[in-house]
């Protein structure tokens, strides 16, 4: 470049320096172009010198292993210089690595990584643990960086075509969310690197972490604050179109042990856990053109056409050799979850269980495979089914029932709910409590306008619902159709998706009797069952004509989405026809498929499709071949499929989520308008075992609310990790003791039994040792073992849950109302929150949900019965107690009925109306109205004369 400048414009150094008179004379006379060209020449030389200086600055910083200082006003040129230096470094390192691999040195195993400097941009894959310098953990003022490739099996000589994930880790000081000066400088460099190297289409993940010192809820908030601080430091990337996913995980995912083998504190381990991890996707490098033997890249879009194929359909066969699964190191690098072999930390119980093939699938007990969106729908249906159960529940007139338990979910539902809890734990706002209305994505879930078909090459494949045409053949066809049908039912929001299916096909796909199909349609409003295919096609053709007219009258370039937005009252759901193809109806089927995508129509046939592609599926729902029009989305695709035994459990859940009554009978409800003669509070013979807990103990365990351990009245803040609190909570719930196998199945459901047992014994030893050191009772075990069962020693540990049950049990034995009221008030005061309630989904263990619902019901029943005792002499106090009950369960109609009755007795008609409106607002989440019983009660309370006159007729 300098040689070119000198050849074209001459040397920038003049032969002699002009004096002042020569400068004034040159500037005052008319320029013949020489002065302007000279000015441009010096500008070009200046830019060249600046570029050389920036290159030297970046190169020096790379050699020192530190980020280059930021030059204000030169962001673009400095970013370009950094890119050039990085490219040169990668080329040199790549060449050196190639020579090294060709030498006689032994290869390094994939799970061993050299420790990089505190901040490095080397594109070599590292292990999943944080990098260290000279074997020591990084100080709080450093950043570490790693890149994980997603295509390590690429053929030699070919560039990786799948994206790489790059992770940068920022350290923080103890108890602080502020960035140190070195970290700020390093984040400035990270900002430039992301702007240059990151894929703009993929979000940037920022996850905060803390050590285990202090309360878990405080650590959760601190982790979110740290993540937001880093987000602000990267703020200028938002102006370039980058998206951020900011979350905090508190102390739940440590990467280092925080105690030594002897139980003493390890400050270096805590320092490594105080971090924020920034993960982004690098831009995909282009691979060379595909050879005839190379599989072409797959399209993930629709690709289906509504018009007949221009040429005769050709049969294509999918490759018979499946793509190999990812290596363990690959999975760890891309997911950011510590390896299962780690012994210093436990994986979260709510982590979504990855299948043996890829993290986007869920293996069911029957051997069927579904996706994460299917699990989300089932998890939501389970939540709403429980809400309907709470809405309908009635308290017995004799008081709380300690014998009645929340029914546990079936194995398939339990498996899917566990996956859904893990998904919520990773994606939900950590600052919102689990019971907030905004946290409930209530059933049915709104559709995104797309449906997930299956997986290929470890990626989910989705297509738009509108215009989706496919015929399903082969042994796996019915199971795939069943999965699609159930997915549509669970993701069919209000006027969002409507499934049209002939009765014979509904009974065939769902294996239901015609009577069961009719009952299902009463509750699943998105399902429309027709007499036969002819009736289904008439309905579809009529709807198609209606939509065509709407588009004709709409302004130019408007589609159905714009029509929906312009007039939300016009129900225009996406229509899905599921039917067996019939040769005599082929012409009619072809007619309704014309411009199917424009009219948001999908047609899935069992058998040959008259227009769209027809895929052949084996027993595992793997596409073996396909014919007809379509795209390459079927190549190597494995579709999600559901077996009949799983479908039966899901269908039962769908019915309950839509408000179908349960077969079990409810107890006799308590009177609402007057206090009748009552028998003492009854507790059934099968009431839970409750140890005698009267008197002081050296340790007090609180599990109602935030799990807390107190020793001599002081909160034990260190030593017992989140898993230890879960173990104590499980043992508190099972006061009679629990077997080792039952404990490991609950706490580590997705870990193989051998490793789960090892974790249990390590956790048990750690928890015992912590309690021994805290109390000074080194000869006590605190968690006793009797035969094959483990349990909390009631002589050493008192539990608030046991106090709650003891108060209810003694209330059942009291003969006087006054004694019952005192004991029920004691139980209400003990119930400080729901079982193991947290400020996030950290404690949303799948095993605890039925226990939490049972205790919620018992607390509500105790408060309702307490209000009945207060009603005659202290109505205002009774109202206060009922408001407390409503705060515990805002969906229970019974509570509102009691409140309205008391308000009417006090002459507060306006308050009665407000309470009824509150009930209406709460039940809107479930898309139901107050029951007829509540509506009649409202009328009687507001029109007492009219109701008495009606009673005379």
């Amino acid at each position: 470049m300098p040689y070119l400048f000198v050849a074209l414009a001459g040397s920038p150094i003049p032969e002699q320096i002009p004096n002042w008179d020569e400068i004034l004379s040159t500037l005052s006379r008319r320029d013949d172009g020489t002065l302007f060209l000279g000015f441009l020449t010096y500008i070009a030389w200046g830019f060249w010198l600046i570029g050389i200086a920036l290159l030297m600055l970046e190169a020096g910083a790379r050699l020192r292993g530190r980020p280059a200082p930021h030059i204000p006003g030169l962001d673009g040129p400095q970013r370009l210089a950094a890119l050039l230096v990085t490219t040169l470094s990668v080329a040199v390192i790549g060449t050196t690595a190639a020579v090294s691999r060709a030498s006689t040195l032994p290869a390094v195993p994939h799970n061993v990584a050299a420790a990089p400097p505190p901040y490095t941009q080397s594109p070599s894959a590292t292990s999943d643990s944080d990098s260290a310098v000279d074997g020591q953990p990084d100080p709080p003022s450093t950043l570490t960086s790693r890149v994980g490739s997603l295509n390590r099996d690429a053929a030699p000589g070919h560039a990786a075509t799948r994206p790489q994930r790059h992770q940068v880790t920022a350290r923080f000081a103890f108890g602080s969310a502020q960035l140190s000066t070195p970290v700020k400088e390093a984040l400035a460099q990270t900002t430039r690197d992301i702007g240059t190297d990151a894929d703009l289409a993929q979000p940037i993940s920022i996850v905060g972490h803390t050590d285990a010192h202090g309360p878990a809820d405080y650590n959760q908030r601190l982790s979110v604050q740290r993540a937001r601080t880093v987000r602000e430091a990267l703020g200028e990337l938002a102006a370039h179109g980058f998206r951020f996913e900011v979350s905090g995980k508190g102390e739940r995912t440590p990467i280092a042990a925080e105690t030594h083998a002897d139980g003493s504190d390890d400050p270096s381990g805590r320092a490594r856990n105080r971090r924020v991890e920034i993960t982004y996707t690098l831009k995909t490098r282009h691979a060379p053109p595909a050879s005839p033997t190379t599989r072409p890249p797959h399209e993930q879009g629709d690709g289906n056409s509504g018009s007949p194929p221009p040429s005769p359909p050709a049969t294509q066969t999918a490759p018979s050799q499946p793509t190999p699964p990812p290596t363990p190191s690959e999975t760890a690098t891309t997911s950011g979850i510590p390896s299962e072999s780690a012994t210093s930390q436990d994986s979260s119980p709510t982590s979504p269980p990855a299948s043996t093939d890829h993290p986007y699938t869920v293996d069911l007990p029957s051997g069927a495979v579904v996706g994460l969106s299917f699990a989300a729908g089932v998890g939501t249906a389970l939540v709403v089914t429980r809400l309907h159960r709470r809405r309908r529940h009635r308290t017995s007139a004799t008081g709380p029932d300690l014998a009645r338990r929340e029914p546990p979910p079936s194995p398939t539902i339990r498996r899917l709910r566990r996956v859904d809890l893990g998904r919520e734990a990773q994606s939900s706002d950590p600052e919102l409590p689990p019971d907030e209305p905004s946290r409930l994505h209530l059933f049915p879930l709104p559709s995104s306008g797309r449906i997930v078909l299956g997986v290929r090459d470890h990626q989910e494949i989705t297509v738009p619902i509108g215009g989706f045409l496919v015929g399903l053949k082969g042994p796996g066809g019915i199971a795939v159709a069943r999965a699609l049908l159930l997915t549509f039912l669970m993701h069919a929001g209000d006027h969002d998706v409507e499934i049209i299916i002939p009765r014979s096909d509904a009974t065939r796909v769902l294996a239901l009797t015609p009577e069961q199909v009719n009952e299902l349609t009463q509750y699943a409003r998105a399902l429309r069952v027709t007499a036969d295919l002819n009736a289904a096609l008439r309905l579809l053709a009529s709807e198609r004509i209606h939509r065509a007219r709407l588009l004709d009258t709409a302004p130019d370039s408007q589609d159905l989405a714009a029509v929906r937005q312009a007039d939300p009252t016009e129900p225009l759901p996406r229509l899905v026809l599921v039917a067996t193809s019939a040769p005599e109806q082929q012409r009619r089927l072809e007619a309704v498929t014309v411009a199917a995508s424009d009219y948001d129509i999908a047609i899935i046939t069992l058998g040959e499709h008259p227009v769209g592609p027809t895929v052949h599926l084996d027993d595992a729902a793997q596409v073996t071949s396909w014919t007809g029009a379509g795209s390459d989305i079927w190549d190597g695709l494995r579709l999600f499929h559901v077996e009949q035994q799983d479908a039966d459990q899901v269908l039962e859940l769908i019915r309950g989520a839509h408000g179908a009554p349960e077969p079990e009978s409810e107890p006799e409800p308590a009177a609402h308008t007057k206090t009748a003669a009552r028998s003492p509070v009854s507790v059934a013979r099968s009431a839970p075992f409750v140890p005698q807990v009267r008197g002081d103990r050296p340790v007090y365990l609180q599990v109602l609310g935030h799990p807390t351990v107190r020793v001599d009245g002081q909160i034990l803040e260190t030593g017992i990790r989140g898993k230890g609190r879960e173990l104590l909570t499980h043992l508190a719930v099972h006061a009679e003791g629990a077997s080792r196998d039952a404990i490991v199945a609950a706490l580590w459901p997705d870990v193989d039994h051998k490793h789960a047992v090892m974790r249990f014994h390590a956790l048990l030893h750690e928890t015992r040792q912590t309690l021994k050191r805290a109390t000074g009772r080194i000869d006590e075990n605190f968690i006793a073992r009797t035969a094959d069962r483990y349990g909390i020693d009631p002589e050493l540990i008192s539990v608030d849950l046991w106090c709650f049950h003891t108060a209810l049990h003694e209330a059942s034995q009291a003969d006087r109302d006054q004694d019952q009221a005192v004991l029920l008030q004691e139980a209400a005061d003990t119930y400080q929150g729901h079982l193991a309630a947290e400020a996030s989904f950290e404690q949303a263990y799948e095993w605890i949900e039925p226990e939490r619902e049972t205790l919620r019901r018992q607390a509500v029943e105790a408060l309702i019965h307490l209000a009945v005792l207060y009603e005659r002499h202290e109505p205002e106090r009774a109202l206060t107690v009922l408001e407390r009950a409503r705060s515990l369960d805002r969906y229970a109609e019974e509570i509102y009925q009691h409140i309205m009755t008391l308000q009417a007795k006090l002459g507060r008609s306006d308050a009665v109306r407000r309470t009824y409106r509150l009930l209406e607002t709460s039940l809107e989440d479930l898309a139901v109205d107050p029951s007829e019983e509540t509506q009649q009660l409202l009328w009687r309370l507001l029109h007492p004369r009219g109701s008495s006159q009606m009673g005379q007729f």
Side-chain angles (χ1 to χ4, degrees):
M1 186 66 73
Y3 177 80
L4 181 63
F5 283 169
V6 172
L8 295 179
S11 173
I13 304 175
E15 296 179 358
Q16 63 179 13
I17 300 176
N19 56 35
W20 183 248
D21 293 335
E22 291 174 338
I23 293 174
L24 292 178
S25 175
T26 302
L27 294 175
S28 60
R29 69 170 180 263
R30 185 175 182 180
D31 182 30
D32 58 355
T34 304
L35 179 62
F36 179 70
L37 291 176
F39 179 71
L40 292 180
T41 300
Y42 279 103
I43 289 178
W45 278 105
F47 276 113
W48 180 80
L49 290 174
I50 291 174
I52 292 298
L54 291 177
L55 286 173
M56 295 177 64
L57 180 66
E58 293 291 337
R62 288 292 191 275
L63 292 176
R64 294 193 306 270
R66 300 180 60 185
H70 176 61
I71 308 300
L74 295 177
D75 291 343
Q78 190 170 5
R79 190 180 295 115
L80 179 61
L83 176 62
L84 292 176
V85 172
T86 300
T87 303
L88 181 61
S89 301
V90 170
V92 173
I93 294 174
T95 304
T96 305
V99 174
S100 177
R101 284 193 298 269
S103 67
T104 59
L105 292 178
V108 180
H110 73 272
N111 59 347
V112 178
Y119 183 79
T120 176
Q121 297 293 338
S122 173
S124 60
T126 72
S127 67
D128 204 37
S129 62
D130 283 354
S131 58
V133 182
D134 297 331
Q136 300 296 325
D138 298 310
S141 60
T142 61
L143 265 71
T144 60
S145 173
R146 67 171 181 259
V147 178
S149 173
L150 300 184
N151 192 21
R152 299 176 184 171
D153 300 324
H158 289 261
T161 58
R162 302 178 197 169
Q164 291 180 320
R165 297 284 287 173
H166 191 102
Q167 186 174 98
V168 179
T169 303
R171 307 289 180 185
F172 285 79
F174 175 75
S176 173
Q178 302 299 320
L179 297 173
S180 62
T181 301
V183 173
K184 288 181 180 178
E185 296 175 354
L187 285 177
Q189 177 64 40
T190 299
T191 303
R192 294 190 291 272
D193 294 339
I194 292 176
T196 303
D197 303 330
D199 186 353
L200 187 63
Q202 301 297 324
I204 301 171
S205 172
I206 303 176
V207 183
H209 304 268
T210 68
D211 59 25
H213 186 79
D217 53 351
Y218 169 80
N219 288 335
Q220 176 61 43
R221 292 192 297 270
L222 179 60
S223 67
V224 175
Q225 293 173 2
R226 288 174 174 173
R228 290 176 176 171
T229 300
V230 173
R231 163 67 178 83
E232 293 174 0
L234 305 177
E236 68 179 69
L237 293 172
H240 299 285
F242 285 95
R243 296 175 290 115
F244 297 92
E245 293 179 351
V246 182
S247 62
K249 293 189 176 180
E251 62 189 59
R252 300 195 299 275
T253 54
I255 59 173
E258 299 186 1
T259 56
H260 295 292
D262 59 357
S264 60
D265 189 68
D266 184 0
S268 61
R270 292 190 182 277
R272 294 188 65 191
N273 292 332
R274 297 191 294 267
R275 69 199 190 279
V276 169
E277 295 172 341
I278 310 164
T279 308
Y280 58 92
T281 304
L282 299 179
K283 294 178 181 177
T284 303
R285 291 176 170 84
H286 297 287
S291 63
T293 60
T294 303
R295 178 184 296 181
H298 301 293
E299 296 291 336
Q300 294 192 12
D302 178 13
N304 291 326
S305 173
S307 58
S311 59
T315 302
Q316 304 183 41
T317 304
S320 58
Q321 184 174 2
T323 304
T327 62
S329 61
E330 175 181 331
T331 303
T333 304
T334 58
S335 65
I337 300 176
S339 171
E340 285 292 331
S341 61
T343 59
S344 60
Q345 58 266 21
D346 298 303
S347 62
S348 172
T350 58
S351 299
S355 70
T356 57
D357 294 330
H358 43 72
Y360 292 103
T361 62
V362 184
D363 296 324
L364 300 182
S366 65
V369 178
V370 295
L372 297 183
S373 60
F374 191 93
V378 167
T380 299
L382 180 60
V383 170
V384 181
T385 298
R386 287 172 174 158
L387 295 183
H388 279 294
R389 188 177 297 127
R390 286 156 52 182
R391 172 179 65 89
R392 292 188 298 262
H393 177 71
R394 295 294 180 267
T395 301
S396 171
T398 56
D401 181 7
L402 297 183
R404 181 173 177 178
R405 316 295 296 176
E406 178 75 12
S410 61
T412 295
I413 304 303
R414 184 165 59 249
R415 166 73 167 165
L416 293 169
R417 176 56 174 162
R418 187 161 62 245
V419 174
D420 184 47
L421 286 173
R423 181 190 57 82
E424 288 176 335
Q426 294 185 352
S427 63
S428 299
D429 187 351
E431 292 192 326
L432 291 178
D435 288 330
E436 282 295 318
S438 57
R439 181 60 64 87
L440 294 173
H441 44 257
L442 292 183
F443 188 89
L445 288 175
S447 164
S448 63
R450 304 179 69 88
I451 187 170
V452 184
L453 294 179
V455 290
R456 180 187 55 234
D457 293 340
H458 320 312
Q459 295 293 328
E460 286 187 337
I461 303 300
T462 65
V463 296
I465 297 176
F468 177 55
L469 310 174
V470 67
L472 305 174
K473 294 184 65 176
I478 294 294
V480 170
R482 187 181 297 123
L484 290 172
L485 182 56
L486 292 176
T487 303
F488 282 128
L489 283 176
M490 288 185 296
H491 295 77
D494 189 21
H495 301 301
D496 191 63
V497 174
E498 186 173 295
I499 306 104
I500 303 173
I501 182 171
R503 189 179 308 278
S504 59
D505 292 308
T507 58
R508 177 187 177 193
V509 173
L510 300 177
L512 299 176
T513 64
E515 292 75 16
Q516 291 173 328
V517 171
N518 292 337
E519 183 192 15
L520 180 62
T521 57
Q522 295 177 11
Y523 299 101
R525 294 179 291 274
L527 185 64
R528 298 189 63 176
V529 178
T530 61
D532 51 22
L533 178 59
N534 188 39
L537 290 176
R538 285 200 306 268
L539 180 61
L540 205 59
S542 174
E543 187 63 31
R544 181 180 177 279
I545 294 172
H546 172 64
R547 298 180 180 211
R549 290 174 178 172
L550 286 177
L551 292 178
D552 289 341
T553 58
D556 294 339
S557 72
Q558 271 202 351
D559 54 9
L560 280 183
V563 174
R564 289 191 191 97
Q565 186 174 4
D567 186 8
T569 62
E570 177 68 36
L572 293 172
R574 297 171 179 87
L575 300 175
V576 180
L577 173 65
V578 181
T580 301
S581 58
E584 63 273 13
Q585 301 289 353
Q586 181 170 350
R587 290 186 177 274
R588 298 185 64 187
L589 273 171
E590 292 176 356
V592 296
T593 56
V594 175
S597 58
D598 294 337
Y599 300 130
D600 271 348
I601 294 175
I603 297 180
I604 303 170
T605 62
L606 303 174
E608 292 288 341
H609 200 286
V611 174
T614 299
V615 298
H616 192 278
L617 305 158
D618 60 15
D619 290 326
Q622 182 78 36
V623 176
T624 58
S625 63
W626 68 95
T627 60
S631 64
D632 291 335
I633 63 170
W634 308 110
D635 183 12
L637 180 63
R638 187 188 186 191
L639 276 71
F640 295 141
H641 56 289
V642 175
E643 299 300 330
Q644 187 56 52
Q645 61 191 76
D646 300 318
D648 293 339
Q649 301 174 41
V650 174
L651 281 173
E652 183 64 28
L653 191 65
I654 290 176
R655 291 179 64 260
H658 280 101
E662 296 178 297
E664 59 185 9
S665 60
E666 296 286 350
E668 178 186 355
H672 302 300
T673 58
K674 63 180 181 180
T675 304
R678 294 170 288 99
S679 59
V681 183
S682 66
V683 178
R685 289 186 299 272
S686 58
F689 170 77
V690 179
Q692 296 298 320
V693 294
R694 298 298 185 188
D696 294 334
R697 302 290 189 276
V699 178
Y700 178 77
L701 173 62
Q702 174 185 329
V703 296
L704 297 176
H706 175 64
T708 305
V709 179
R710 286 182 171 85
V711 177
D712 296 329
Q714 300 296 321
I715 296 179
L716 185 62
E717 296 183 348
T718 60
I720 297 182
R721 296 178 290 116
K723 226 23 172 179
R725 288 192 292 270
E726 183 183 359
L727 172 62
L728 291 174
T729 302
H730 188 275
L731 295 177
V733 170
H734 299 84
E736 71 282 3
S739 67
R740 183 196 66 183
D741 291 345
I743 295 173
V744 299
L747 271 64
W748 296 279
D750 299 311
V751 179
D752 65 273
H753 186 264
K754 178 181 177 181
H755 288 88
V757 170
M758 294 172 59
R759 293 189 182 190
F760 165 70
H761 287 295
L763 182 64
L764 179 64
H765 174 75
E766 177 184 322
T767 304
R768 283 172 169 170
Q769 292 299 111
T770 299
L771 294 176
K772 289 180 180 182
R773 290 193 300 268
T775 60
R777 303 194 178 199
I778 59 175
D779 296 329
E780 305 289 355
N781 274 334
F782 293 91
I783 299 176
R785 177 183 178 183
T786 305
D788 63 339
R789 304 180 76 84
Y790 293 83
I792 293 175
D793 189 343
E795 298 298 326
L796 299 173
I797 302 177
S798 62
V799 183
D800 60 346
L801 173 59
W802 299 351
C803 297
F804 173 75
H805 277 149
T806 298
L808 291 182
H809 176 73
E810 292 181 355
S812 69
Q813 308 302 317
D815 295 328
R816 297 190 307 165
D817 289 354
Q818 183 178 0
D819 295 337
Q820 288 186 17
V822 170
L823 291 167
L824 290 174
Q825 185 65 58
E826 179 183 341
D829 294 339
T830 305
Y831 195 88
Q832 294 297 312
H834 301 311
L835 181 63
E838 289 284 327
S840 69
F841 272 89
E842 178 187 3
Q843 298 292 340
Y845 324 123
E846 180 272 332
W847 68 264
I848 210 173
E849 285 192 314
E851 305 294 343
R852 180 180 289 150
E853 286 297 306
T854 298
L855 287 172
R856 184 203 303 265
R857 177 188 53 77
Q858 292 173 356
V860 169
E861 288 182 341
L863 289 170
I864 290 177
H865 194 72
L866 182 61
V868 171
L869 295 175
Y870 287 151
E871 178 181 348
R872 179 176 299 176
H873 303 292
E874 299 178 85
E876 293 292 345
R877 189 174 183 181
L879 278 176
T880 302
V881 171
L882 289 172
E883 285 296 334
R884 167 86 189 282
R886 193 174 70 86
S887 69
L888 297 181
D889 189 353
R890 66 188 187 90
Y891 296 98
E893 284 196 56
E894 175 186 22
I895 301 175
Y896 294 88
Q897 293 172 354
H898 279 282
I899 293 176
M900 292 163 57
T901 301
L902 273 178
Q903 290 170 338
K905 285 185 176 181
L906 296 174
R908 303 172 184 174
S909 300
D910 291 340
V912 173
R913 295 186 179 92
R914 286 196 299 271
T915 301
Y916 184 80
R917 285 196 292 269
L918 284 175
L919 174 61
E920 286 183 315
T921 302
S922 296
L923 295 184
E924 283 179 0
D925 293 338
L926 306 178
V928 296
D929 296 323
S931 65
E932 184 178 352
E933 176 188 359
T934 305
Q935 297 177 28
Q936 292 177 357
L937 175 64
L938 174 67
W939 193 92
R940 289 198 305 269
L941 295 177
L942 296 181
H943 306 86
R945 294 183 180 179
S947 60
S948 61
Q949 291 174 359
M950 288 181 61
Q952 297 175 1
F953 287 98

